[in-house]
Amino acid sequence: MTTTIIIVALFVAVLLLIFWRSVRIVPHSMEDVVERFGKFHRTLNSGFNIVVPGVDQVRERIDRRVQVVSFPPQSAITEDNLAVEVDSAVYVRVVDAYRATYEVANFIQAVEQLTLATLRNVIGGMNLEATLTSRDEINRELKTVLDEATADWGIEISRIELKGIEPPSSVQEAMEMQMRADREKRAQLLSAEGEKQSAVLRAEGERSAAVLRAKGAAEAQMLTAKADADAQTLRARGEADAIHIVFKSLHASRIDQDVLAYHYLQKLPEIARGDANKVWVVPSEMGRALQGVGEAFERLRDDVVRAP
């Protein structure tokens, strides 16, 4: 009875061991390359898989995700014989697990060496200035060459990035001096242009101000002249109206020559009363006025005598 239990237990253990060895769990985004008797059999996709223990063997597990391969800085010679240090990174993704396993021994190392060799060839055909300013062009050329070379390896070059291109220190100093000189030149040009524009604006402002002042003075003179002319016209009209009124009044009252002579004699003291009158000249009309006054008094006396 005990022997039977032991045999059954051993049999169950063997079955469990066989089952355990036959079950293969593949993580997501992974693939297992399976060989049967040393020859490629199939690839196991992610999830639950069954293999034959002792017959099937997993050769390698392939990661289907994009892998970033970063290379240490490498030296390259430009077309104008200047050494530059290039730091690059390649983004690689396996698209065919079979070819990535059997067509190349180590595709990461193969991509690294191929990238460095191609990078030296591309930079060798460009001068230093083009190398520093044409990163996109270098990336495109590298990707084209790597795609052609890795097409049979079952891998895909997703992207290539040049992280840094460092020229020699002497060249960097010369470039910095040139940049400073260019900046100073641009600053001087901008300053001169600003001063020129400022002078032009000031001249235009002064000219506009002078024109406005001249226009204002001309308009002021015109207004003053017009006001004086209007005032003179009004005064002349007033004097003319006054003379006309006086004439009409005199004509209506029928004042004779005797009355005029009398009023003339009354105004003579007022004429002589002024402070500025040092010399008083008696007009020739004064005798005629006195004669008229005398004649008027004689006529008045005769009229009184004739009265009863």
Side-chain angles (χ1 to χ4, degrees):
M1 184 67 180
T2 303
T3 304
T4 303
I5 294 173
I6 293 174
I7 293 173
V8 172
L10 291 174
F11 181 74
V12 172
V14 170
L15 290 177
L16 291 175
L17 180 61
I18 293 172
F19 178 76
W20 176 257
R21 295 292 301 273
S22 62
V23 173
R24 190 72 179 180
I25 305 297
V26 181
H28 185 70
S29 299
M30 299 289 181
E31 284 187 358
D32 286 352
V33 178
V34 178
E35 294 179 346
R36 178 169 291 181
F37 299 115
K39 184 179 180 180
F40 174 75
H41 177 57
R42 65 190 178 101
T43 58
L44 302 181
N45 296 323
S46 58
F48 182 83
N49 297 274
I50 299 295
V51 297
V52 179
V55 177
D56 295 337
Q57 183 181 2
V58 176
R59 165 70 182 272
E60 191 171 354
R61 173 164 287 180
I62 302 297
D63 192 346
R64 297 294 300 271
R65 296 173 298 178
V66 175
Q67 302 179 48
V68 181
V69 183
S70 182
F71 309 133
Q74 298 293 324
S75 178
I77 306 298
T78 61
E79 186 180 16
D80 45 1
N81 295 323
L82 291 175
V84 294
E85 294 289 331
V86 183
D87 190 6
S88 59
V90 180
Y91 296 78
V92 182
R93 186 173 70 89
V94 177
V95 295
D96 191 336
Y98 170 80
R99 288 188 294 173
T101 302
Y102 295 102
E103 297 295 335
V104 60
N106 187 335
F107 67 87
I108 297 295
Q109 185 178 2
V111 168
E112 178 181 358
Q113 297 301 320
L114 181 61
T115 302
L116 296 178
T118 306
L119 187 59
R120 291 191 180 97
N121 291 334
V122 173
I123 293 179
M126 306 173 67
N127 56 30
L128 179 61
E129 184 177 358
T131 302
L132 296 176
T133 58
S134 305
R135 293 193 179 188
D136 293 338
E137 182 180 351
I138 296 174
N139 291 338
R140 286 194 298 268
E141 293 187 15
L142 285 175
K143 190 174 185 306
T144 301
V145 174
L146 292 178
D147 285 340
E148 294 176 357
T150 60
D152 297 332
W153 296 350
I155 61 177
E156 178 186 31
I157 305 299
S158 301
R159 187 180 180 86
I160 299 175
E161 288 292 341
L162 297 181
K163 296 187 293 184
I165 301 177
E166 297 293 335
S169 57
S170 59
V171 176
Q172 291 183 5
E173 293 177 358
M175 293 173 63
E176 291 177 357
M177 293 177 62
Q178 182 179 2
M179 292 175 62
R180 285 197 297 270
D182 291 339
R183 285 196 295 267
E184 292 177 357
K185 180 180 178 180
R186 288 195 297 270
Q188 292 176 358
L189 290 175
L190 291 175
S191 177
E193 185 67 22
E195 292 178 356
K196 176 183 176 182
Q197 293 180 358
S198 177
V200 171
L201 292 175
R202 283 198 299 270
E204 291 180 352
E206 292 175 357
R207 184 182 66 180
S208 300
V211 171
L212 291 175
R213 285 195 296 269
K215 288 183 178 180
E219 292 178 357
Q221 292 178 359
M222 293 176 62
L223 292 175
T224 302
K226 185 177 180 181
D228 293 341
D230 293 340
Q232 292 177 5
T233 301
L234 291 175
R235 285 196 297 270
R237 288 180 180 176
E239 292 176 357
D241 293 340
I243 293 173
H244 182 68
I245 292 171
V246 172
F247 179 77
K248 288 179 65 177
S249 177
L250 292 175
H251 188 269
S253 60
R254 295 182 180 181
I255 299 176
D256 55 4
Q257 186 176 3
D258 297 334
V259 176
L260 292 175
Y262 177 73
H263 282 288
Y264 184 74
L265 291 175
Q266 285 183 339
K267 292 295 183 181
L268 285 177
E270 295 181 2
I271 296 175
R273 193 179 297 124
D275 296 335
N277 295 328
K278 303 299 182 180
V279 178
W280 185 39
V281 178
V282 178
S284 59
E285 290 83 0
M286 185 173 179
R288 191 178 303 169
L290 292 174
Q291 183 179 358
V293 171
E295 293 177 355
F297 276 109
E298 289 179 0
R299 287 194 298 270
L300 181 60
R301 187 185 60 185
D302 293 339
D303 292 338
V304 172
V305 171
R306 293 192 193 97

